[in-house]
Amino acid sequence: MQIGRVQAIAGTANFKQLPEKIIRPGHERPENTKPFEGVSVPVISLSESHDILVKEIYNACSEWGFFLLKDHGISPGLIEKLWKVGIEFFNQPQEEKEKYANDPSNGKFEGYGTKMTKNLDEKVEWIDYFFHLMSPPSKVNHQIWPQTPSSYRHCDRYVLGPSESVTDTAILNHVTEEYNKELKKVIETVLEQLSEGLGLEGKVLKSWVGGDEIELEMKINMYPPCPRSELVLGVEAHTDISALTLLVPNDVPGLQVWKDDYWITVDYFPNALFVHIGDQIEVLSNGKYKSVLHRSLVNKERTRMSWAVFCAPPHDAMTGPLPELLDEKNPAKYSTKTFAEFRHRKFNKLPQ
């Protein structure tokens, strides 16, 4: 089945009728699966004292698998630049974007695309995206990064935060690479808190997820307005294959997480990072932390966008319950396999 670009479909003059391949089955449609009202997701400040931070992150990740992180140290100016260059890419002519087209069916995941994984009924989600590796440097292919707009990798001037001063490194920055550098610090801190929440030394989870070879994958999600948003999904319900996913959205809500048999809407929180626990942390923790089931809705009138960074092990890393957490009373709940095998099974909807 040939897949057209969703942004192109949405931009068609007098677009009114949705293609059948876009319309979700009745039990998946937002109009039939409304969220539970009056419940808010956990919000955690990275400025809390160490013991409180460990406890709050443990509670959020064992009960929700998700939290909003504020006071994380990444300047609002850098996040704004990240938004700007992502928007500029999707505002380019279609033929320019197609120069970066990927081909997931043949294992080419990096680049510009519409459909990444299989689903059983071959439905298409209301999303276009750009996906590429940011780290480690040895695996980054800058040739697949957008050359236009040039500001995707370079910016004329970095917008300073209130505590920053003008320095040479604040001018002519690489926007995405600068974000990668700052996000690594946050990821390391979160992994340390998660380790300590399990009663382990702070470096344990980072070591098992890959140490300095942890892969950071950027996925810019673009959800155009849809006149029949009650019939479609931006991204269908799923858990992330990653260890962690850290996401920043624009100000158009749409993310929902699954909690206690209900969908819970995640409201926009300026400059917060949306932190998802992924499959690898659930497996490594032997189920003490939960990989959050979530989905993305779209808006009738406004474009929704998000910048998700997946923190994943190298393909040859072994993933399974940490030996330190296992004993006669706590046997392994998950099998051990390479991340490459786990990934193959996940993307092809095969049992683990």
Side-chain angles (χ1 to χ4, degrees):
M1 178 177 64
Q2 187 173 359
I3 306 300
R5 301 304 185 195
V6 170
Q7 189 179 10
I9 295 172
T12 303
N14 301 318
F15 166 61
K16 294 180 181 178
Q17 186 171 358
L18 289 174
E20 185 63 30
K21 64 188 177 183
I22 296 286
I23 299 173
R24 307 303 300 191
H27 68 281
E28 293 184 5
R29 295 176 189 173
E31 64 178 357
N32 298 329
T33 53
K34 296 187 182 300
F36 189 75
E37 302 290 342
V39 177
S40 298
V41 301
V43 179
I44 298 174
S45 170
L46 207 54
S47 65
E48 292 281 7
S49 67
H50 176 266
D51 290 349
I52 291 176
L53 189 58
V54 170
K55 181 179 180 180
E56 288 187 349
I57 289 180
Y58 177 86
N59 289 340
C61 296
S62 58
E63 296 173 14
W64 287 79
F66 179 85
F67 61 94
L68 304 186
L69 186 65
K70 64 178 185 175
D71 304 320
H72 44 68
I74 300 177
S75 77
L78 181 54
I79 292 175
E80 288 175 12
K81 285 291 186 183
L82 190 73
W83 288 348
K84 182 176 183 290
V85 296
I87 292 168
E88 286 179 359
F89 173 80
F90 283 100
N91 283 344
Q92 294 181 109
Q94 193 62 38
E95 59 269 21
E96 184 65 31
K97 291 178 287 192
E98 293 295 346
K99 294 178 182 179
Y100 304 96
N102 64 3
D103 187 5
S105 63
N106 288 314
K108 183 187 174 186
F109 291 96
E110 290 192 81
Y112 171 60
T114 295
K115 189 177 183 182
M116 181 172 280
T117 61
K118 293 182 179 181
N119 52 36
L120 297 178
D121 52 11
E122 292 297 316
K123 291 295 184 181
V124 177
E125 298 161 322
W126 192 258
I127 180 177
D128 293 331
Y129 66 84
F130 195 94
F131 178 81
H132 67 80
L133 270 168
M134 293 200 305
S135 187
S138 61
K139 296 182 180 179
V140 172
N141 177 12
H142 283 119
Q143 296 303 310
I144 201 64
W145 290 31
Q147 302 302 307
T148 54
S150 60
S151 52
Y152 189 85
R153 292 176 61 187
H154 305 272
C155 64
D156 295 331
R157 179 171 291 274
Y158 175 76
V159 181
L160 299 175
S163 63
E164 296 175 308
S165 60
V166 177
T167 66
D168 290 341
T169 58
I171 300 172
L172 299 176
N173 273 281
H174 299 262
V175 177
T176 304
E177 290 178 346
E178 183 70 14
Y179 184 68
N180 172 53
K181 182 180 73 174
E182 295 302 316
L183 196 65
K184 279 182 178 179
K185 300 174 187 176
V186 179
I187 290 170
E188 186 161 336
T189 298
V190 172
L191 287 173
E192 286 181 0
Q193 311 307 312
L194 288 169
S195 288
E196 293 188 28
L198 296 172
L200 306 173
E201 293 185 3
K203 301 295 185 183
V204 170
L205 275 178
K206 179 183 176 182
S207 174
W208 277 85
V209 174
D212 292 337
E213 293 302 306
I214 290 175
E215 296 186 4
L216 300 187
E217 305 162 342
M218 168 69 83
K219 183 169 180 266
I220 308 174
N221 301 307
M222 195 273 191
Y223 310 94
C226 179
R228 299 298 307 277
S229 59
E230 73 279 6
L231 301 180
V232 308
L233 289 174
V235 177
E236 65 188 20
H238 68 289
T239 60
D240 289 343
I241 195 172
S242 58
L244 294 173
T245 303
L246 286 84
L247 176 148
V248 290
N250 67 355
D251 62 351
V252 180
L255 178 65
Q256 294 182 339
V257 298
W258 186 253
K259 175 79 162 60
D260 297 333
D261 297 326
Y262 289 100
W263 289 111
I264 308 295
T265 298
V266 182
D267 294 328
Y268 174 64
F269 195 113
N271 298 313
L273 295 174
F274 291 23
V275 182
H276 304 64
I277 294 297
D279 296 342
Q280 304 313 302
I281 292 294
E282 177 173 318
V283 170
L284 288 165
S285 71
N286 203 33
K288 290 188 176 182
Y289 296 133
K290 60 191 295 185
S291 184
V292 62
L293 184 69
H294 57 287
R295 68 179 187 177
S296 294
L297 276 56
V298 302
N299 192 278
K300 285 182 181 292
E301 300 173 349
R302 299 179 62 198
T303 296
R304 179 171 180 264
M305 292 187 69
S306 64
W307 288 254
V309 174
F310 304 100
C311 170
H315 285 197
D316 59 355
M318 299 302 295
T319 182
L322 293 172
E324 299 97 315
L325 302 178
L326 305 180
D327 56 33
E328 291 183 1
K329 295 182 179 180
N330 298 286
K333 298 178 181 178
Y334 308 87
S335 63
T336 297
K337 57 179 71 71
T338 64
F339 178 63
E341 182 179 352
F342 191 104
R343 187 172 187 258
H344 170 77
R345 291 179 173 275
K346 178 92 170 185
F347 280 9
N348 289 283
K349 306 296 186 189
L350 300 173
Q352 292 292 346

